[in-house]
Amino acid sequence: MADASQIRSGEIIISLPEAYDAGVYFIGRIRTPFKTRDDCPKNSAQSDAVGQVELEPRYALALKDLEHYSHIHLLYWMHEARRDLVQQVPAHLGHPRGTFALRSPVRPNPIALATVELLKIDGATLVIRRIDCVDGTPLVDIKPYFASVDSFPHARRP
Ligand SMILES: C[S@@+](CC[C@H](N)C(=O)[O-])C[C@H]1O[C@@H](n2cnc3c(N)ncnc32)[C@H](O)[C@@H]1O
């Protein structure tokens, strides 16, 4: 993934640590209509796509009571992303911005976040709407969305 020929002018690559600090269990896969990164919407807010979360059956009991929520957060692992850029030049910006000031999948830990609509739970399969990732993207976690905690309608952004 650390292919210097793929970077844009102004982007900055770093050396990553030699060892990982922790391990992660992928708890399932996200099924979407998008076969490649170029097929994907830019973000979940620009997506009306319906997909499925295929949870590993061993975690099915952890879904108890989730059906009461209309929206959930998905945390997923952008497995096709490089991890070594600290400044990136998004095509729509044309100038560098720090990785932690971007929603880019390219980051030291390529964890993405989407707040999706939960349409249905069928066993260990969740039907969701508003997803933006490549078909087969590994899932790291599911959390309920709380409007009272997670929503800041007047939050500042550039
Ligand atoms: C800008 S990111 C936003 C992800 C997430 N909604 C967030 O805000 O953290 C979405 C883009 O990541 C890319 N992408 C999707 N799935 C990916 C994957 N499995 N690995 C690497 N890149 C991916 C696609 O180009 C997609 O348009």
Side-chain angles (χ1 to χ4, degrees):
M1 280 294 163
D3 177 358
S5 70
Q6 306 256 314
I7 69 161
R8 298 185 174 126
S9 171
E11 293 187 324
I12 300 176
I13 303 177
I14 56 155
S15 299
L16 290 165
E18 285 183 9
Y20 298 111
D21 293 307
V24 171
Y25 296 117
F26 292 153
I27 59 168
R29 298 266 163 186
I30 305 176
R31 296 287 164 205
T32 76
F34 312 120
K35 296 299 170 206
T36 71
R37 284 178 281 177
D38 287 342
D39 295 338
C40 294
K42 288 288 160 238
N43 215 313
S44 53
Q46 295 169 17
S47 172
D48 204 29
V50 172
Q52 291 87 37
V53 169
E54 292 178 356
L55 196 67
E56 289 284 336
R58 74 173 74 238
Y59 302 114
L61 289 177
L63 295 173
K64 178 173 156 38
D65 299 324
L66 194 68
E67 72 276 9
H68 300 303
Y69 294 90
S70 63
H71 293 75
I72 56 175
H73 296 302
L74 298 181
L75 298 157
Y76 40 110
W77 190 266
M78 297 302 231
H79 62 319
E80 295 182 11
R82 62 187 301 154
R83 301 172 65 166
D84 58 352
L85 294 188
V86 287
Q87 291 195 5
Q88 304 174 41
V89 179
H92 67 279
L93 272 186
H95 60 266
R97 187 167 280 173
T99 287
F100 299 138
L102 291 168
R103 299 292 289 253
S104 162
V106 174
R107 47 212 315 119
N109 295 305
I111 295 172
L113 168 70
T115 306
V116 301
E117 195 179 340
L118 177 59
L119 302 177
K120 187 167 120 180
I121 302 179
D122 183 7
T125 301
L126 281 59
V127 183
I128 53 161
R129 179 159 40 218
R130 283 166 62 94
I131 190 63
D132 59 6
C133 64
V134 170
D135 183 46
T137 295
L139 182 68
V140 176
D141 205 357
I142 301 170
K143 295 174 195 271
Y145 168 81
F146 299 158
S148 56
V149 171
D150 298 325
S151 173
F152 299 91
H154 305 297
R156 180 165 48 87
R157 57 165 293 178

